[in-house]
Amino acid sequence: MFDLNGKTALVTGASGGIGAAIARALHAAGAIVALSGTRKEALEALAGELNGRTHILPCNLSQKDETEKLVPTAEAAMGGLDILVNNAGITRDMLFMRLKDEDWDAVINVNLTSAFRLSRAALRGMMKKRFGRIIQITSVVGVTGNPGQGNYAAAKAGMIGMSKSLAAEVASRGVTVNCVAPGFIESPMTDALTDAQKEAILRMVPTGRLGTGADVAAACVYLASAEAAYVTGQTLHVNGGMAMI
Amino acid sequence: MSDVAERVKKIVVEHLGVEADKVVDKANFIDDLGADSLDTVELVMAFEEEFGVEIPDDAAETILTVGDAVKFLEKAKAA
């Protein structure tokens, strides 16, 4: 089940923890994977670990020109693009009253606008092929909200609305568009939390543990598969039950 | 029939899966040939590829019939 042999995938933010886990899982299912991110060394290390069937495509998604070249470059490198995972994201957390325009713009630009641009660029090839999988990595806070994350939650909620609209447009062409919404996932960010903070978080998570990159990646492999052809416009929550929505 | 018209009609027949004899100059893609709005976008993309031209959005909006497409592409080719 969930065989991605012969499929080509582009994962943004593959230099980060969740992105790398997604790239590993798609690769393990047989896909050729283009690894994109801002930190070239991290991408090279991941490519070394995967040992074949990878391409390294560094890209700064805050730059429009670079972003618009990424999908054509990936298509040229791999001979097409079947699966796009918009995983890259940044945070600029701040209480709303103190939230600066720059921090709002930066988060919307990298987290939402780049996902729009990459999805738009990928559509031409996918519609022609009558097959495509666009997966947006959003967040539980895009649905529940979170103090201090007005900009981030707006971008993540925006991804969900964007994906539903696009899903409706291209469903008849064999292209699905879905979101995966992680909850609290083990990462350098959660490593920095104190034990007391971690305990408070875990009280909200019925599963009783933080999620892992692999938990998120498994959802992506499913949505990328041929078996998920009838699932589109959905948001798959991977949060250990902390929000049942 | 011009070479351009022939190629346009071939693309329309293939893409919309309609009978060739229905693809006449006056045929409207949406009203007569059953295209939806996404089909018209895909047709424009196919024309762009076939003829190696770029069809800007405002021009694409004026291409409503098979004849419109042929006329536009003949002009683009001559330019």
Side-chain angles (χ1 to χ4, degrees):
Chain A
M1 224 184 186
F2 308 155
D3 179 5
L4 301 180
N5 266 298
K7 297 294 184 196
T8 53
L10 167 62
V11 181
T12 68
S15 44
I18 294 178
I22 294 168
R24 276 189 200 103
L26 295 173
H27 187 269
I32 302 164
V33 185
L35 310 168
S36 187
T38 47
R39 290 181 291 127
K40 194 154 181 250
E41 317 75 63
L43 299 177
E44 277 165 355
L46 179 59
E49 175 199 321
L50 297 177
N51 193 18
R53 281 189 287 118
T54 59
H55 297 268
I56 299 174
L57 306 177
C59 182
N60 181 346
L61 295 177
S62 66
Q63 302 300 314
K64 181 172 191 273
D65 294 351
E66 277 187 51
T67 306
E68 283 179 344
K69 281 194 203 116
L70 181 57
V71 167
T73 306
E75 287 174 334
M78 300 187 290
L81 179 60
D82 300 303
I83 302 159
L84 168 65
V85 184
N86 285 315
N87 165 72
I90 58 169
T91 54
R92 294 273 193 280
D93 296 356
M94 184 56 66
L95 286 177
F96 209 94
M97 289 177 72
R98 295 182 185 279
L99 191 54
K100 291 192 179 65
D101 278 13
E102 300 91 85
D103 294 329
W104 172 268
D105 289 343
V107 167
I108 297 291
N109 192 31
V110 172
N111 296 12
L112 180 59
T113 307
S114 80
F116 154 65
R117 289 190 177 126
L118 295 174
S119 301
R120 181 179 59 183
L123 282 172
R124 183 180 275 247
M126 289 178 176
M127 295 211 331
K128 236 175 127 182
K129 238 195 264 188
R130 295 290 190 260
F131 180 89
R133 297 283 184 267
I134 297 177
I135 301 168
Q136 325 279 16
I137 307 304
T138 170
S139 166
V140 64
V141 309
V143 178
T144 62
N146 197 27
Q149 293 200 302
N151 48 0
Y152 186 77
K156 294 302 188 182
M159 281 178 126
I160 295 175
M162 176 178 79
S163 298
K164 289 177 178 177
S165 305
L166 175 55
E169 286 186 23
V170 298
S172 63
R173 305 305 197 266
V175 179
T176 69
V177 188
N178 290 288
C179 294
V180 172
F184 282 109
I185 304 298
E186 282 172 12
S187 70
M189 196 178 79
T190 49
D191 289 346
L193 298 173
T194 65
D195 283 349
Q197 284 172 317
K198 273 189 196 164
E199 217 172 281
I201 288 171
L202 289 179
R203 269 199 297 275
M204 296 189 291
V205 182
T207 312
R209 66 170 176 88
L210 295 176
T212 64
D215 289 323
V216 178
C220 296
V221 171
Y222 166 62
L223 291 172
S225 72
E227 285 84 351
Y230 202 58
V231 178
T232 195
Q234 305 301 315
T235 300
L236 182 43
H237 288 269
V238 181
N239 62 25
M242 74 172 274
M244 303 192 189
I245 34 191
Chain B
M1 203 191 301
S2 73
D3 163 60
V4 170
E6 198 125 2
R7 284 154 74 193
V8 164
K9 285 174 189 179
K10 187 162 173 274
I11 288 171
V12 174
V13 167
E14 275 173 13
H15 188 85
L16 299 178
V18 290
E19 301 288 328
D21 57 2
K22 284 204 181 132
V23 186
V24 294
D25 279 356
K26 268 196 284 185
N28 182 295
F29 292 118
I30 291 171
D31 297 337
D32 301 319
L33 301 176
D36 63 20
S37 56
L38 193 56
D39 285 318
T40 63
V41 173
E42 287 187 306
L43 280 172
V44 166
M45 276 167 31
F47 295 149
E48 286 179 332
E49 243 161 67
E50 170 74 18
F51 294 94
V53 297
E54 195 154 323
I55 306 177
D57 289 347
D58 52 346
E61 281 167 24
T62 67
I63 299 176
L64 305 176
T65 66
V66 176
D68 293 340
V70 173
K71 222 185 297 165
F72 179 91
L73 291 163
E74 277 176 342
K75 222 199 273 172
K77 220 179 138 205

